[in-house]
Amino acid sequence: MGGKCTLIHNINNMRTIMMYSSFLVICLFAMSEQCGCPAPYTQQIVCGSPIVVEAKIESFSENDYDKNYQISVTKFYKGKGVYDTLSNKTTLVTPKGTSMCGPVVLNVGSSYILSVSLYGEKMHHNLCELQVEVSSASNKLLEGLAGQYQENCDCEIPSMYDLPHLGSRSNKQCGHSSCTGWDTVCARDGNGQCNWQTC
C-alpha cells in the first residue's frame, strides 16, 4: 500500500513539474514575442536616429506585415542631408506586429514629430521611436529638438534599469534623473559636467 501511495505521489510531482515547465516555456515564448525599447529618453532616440522630422500624414496602405504611411515632410530637426539621398521620400514603413514594436497608429491629416530609421534606403518607424503629435509637443521637447539634444549627444544617459551609480562619475555621465518626463535634456554645465537640466 505504501509503495502504491509513493508511486502516486511521484506521478503527481512529475505532473506538477511538467505543468510548471510548460508554463515557463509559454512565458518565455511570450516574452520573446514582446517589443523591447532600449532608449526611453527622447535625447537618446534623437541622438541615435539618422532623421528626425515634422511630417503630415497624407494617406496609408497596408499589407499582411506593414502599414505604409504617405507623408510630406514640413520641417527637419536632423538628417536633411541623409533624407535628400533617398529615392523614396514619401513612404514611411511601420510594422503591424507587436513583436516588431507595432502597430503604429498615425491619423491622416495630422502632423507629427517623428524619428526615422533607415533600412534598405527606406524610411521605417516603430513604437520605440519618437512619435509626438505637433499640437501636443511640450516646450521641453521643442527646446531639445532645437539643438540641445544633438549638442549633447556625447553625454551618457544611464539606463532606467541600472542601479544608481555610487561614488564619483565622469564628466560625460548624467546620474539617474529625478525628473518624470522623458523629454528632459542631459547637457554639460559651465564646468563641463553632464547633468540633467531643469525638469
Side-chain angles (χ1 to χ4, degrees), residues 124-167:
H124 288 252
H125 178 83
N126 62 42
L127 293 178
C128 287
E129 300 183 81
L130 180 61
Q131 176 187 318
V132 178
E133 197 161 357
V134 172
S135 60
S136 61
S138 67
N139 289 333
K140 182 60 66 179
L141 170 62
L142 296 176
E143 289 171 5
L145 290 171
Q148 291 185 31
Y149 292 145
Q150 292 186 69
E151 291 166 4
N152 294 283
C153 284
D154 62 327
C155 285
E156 298 173 1
I157 298 175
S159 167
M160 61 184 295
Y161 303 109
D162 290 343
L163 293 174
H165 181 77
L166 300 177

Side-chain angles (χ1 to χ4, degrees), residues 43 152 155-156 169-175 184-198:
Q43 182 168 335
N152 294 283
C155 285
E156 298 173 1
R169 51 190 168 89
S170 75
N171 62 359
K172 293 181 64 176
Q173 294 175 313
C174 267
T184 307
V185 178
C186 171
R188 292 188 181 277
D189 58 23
N191 297 318
Q193 173 67 54
C194 290
N195 278 311
W196 292 104
Q197 304 304 297
T198 305

Side-chain angles (χ1 to χ4, degrees), residues 34-193:
Q34 292 179 349
C35 164
C37 300
Y41 289 100
T42 303
Q43 182 168 335
Q44 292 173 295
I45 297 172
V46 171
C47 289
S49 299
I51 298 173
V52 182
V53 298
E54 180 180 310
K56 183 179 180 181
I57 309 302
E58 303 290 356
S59 63
F60 70 88
S61 60
E62 53 188 311
N63 54 41
D64 290 341
Y65 305 102
D66 301 318
K67 190 170 186 178
N68 301 322
Y69 290 94
Q70 295 303 308
I71 65 172
S72 56
V73 175
T74 56
K75 186 173 184 177
F76 286 92
Y77 293 104
K78 182 184 180 183
K80 186 179 186 306
V82 177
Y83 174 87
D84 286 341
T85 66
L86 300 176
S87 57
N88 186 334
K89 297 179 173 63
T90 59
T91 301
L92 183 68
V93 181
T94 71
K96 294 175 72 173
T98 55
S99 63
M100 300 299 291
C101 300
V104 174
V105 179
L106 303 173
N107 297 319
V108 173
S110 296
S111 293
Y112 295 85
I113 297 170
L114 303 167
S115 63
V116 175
S117 301
L118 298 177
Y119 298 101
E121 295 193 4
K122 291 183 179 180
M123 295 189 292
H124 288 252
H125 178 83
N126 62 42
L127 293 178
C128 287
E129 300 183 81
L130 180 61
Q131 176 187 318
V132 178
E133 197 161 357
V134 172
S135 60
S136 61
S138 67
N139 289 333
K140 182 60 66 179
L141 170 62
L142 296 176
E143 289 171 5
L145 290 171
Q148 291 185 31
Y149 292 145
Q150 292 186 69
E151 291 166 4
N152 294 283
C153 284
D154 62 327
C155 285
E156 298 173 1
I157 298 175
S159 167
M160 61 184 295
Y161 303 109
D162 290 343
L163 293 174
H165 181 77
L166 300 177
S168 60
R169 51 190 168 89
S170 75
N171 62 359
K172 293 181 64 176
Q173 294 175 313
C174 267
H176 278 265
S177 175
S178 59
C179 304
T180 56
W182 300 120
D183 297 335
T184 307
V185 178
C186 171
R188 292 188 181 277
D189 58 23
N191 297 318
Q193 173 67 54

